[in-house]
Amino acid sequence: MLNTIETYLALRRATGFAMSNAEYLLKSFAAFAVERGHAYVQTQIAIDWAALGPSVDWRPHAA
């Protein structure tokens, strides 16, 4: 999953996007998912990760 994220970030940066916040969030999600044995994005693991956001206001941005 991390290799796919790196490829995505490189493509976006090549087209002019900074992606610093997205990089942090994507890598955070990937680490969370891999620790739980998931190699692909699945709805429930994304919901579980987003629910760990530090505040209710931040959670929509973590998803």
Side-chain angles (χ1 to χ4, degrees):
M1 186 179 301
L2 190 54
N3 189 36
T4 302
I5 289 170
E6 292 293 347
T7 301
Y8 169 77
L9 291 170
L11 175 66
R12 296 287 290 189
R13 285 188 181 113
T15 58
F17 294 91
M19 305 302 290
S20 58
N21 191 46
E23 178 177 10
Y24 169 77
L25 293 172
L26 288 168
K27 287 182 177 181
S28 172
F29 171 73
F32 180 84
V34 169
E35 285 174 6
R36 285 153 183 79
H38 296 273
Y40 301 97
V41 176
Q42 296 176 339
T43 302
Q44 190 58 54
I45 198 73
I47 291 169
D48 294 346
W49 173 77
L52 297 175
S55 70
V56 173
D57 291 335
W58 176 252
R59 290 178 191 153
H61 303 287

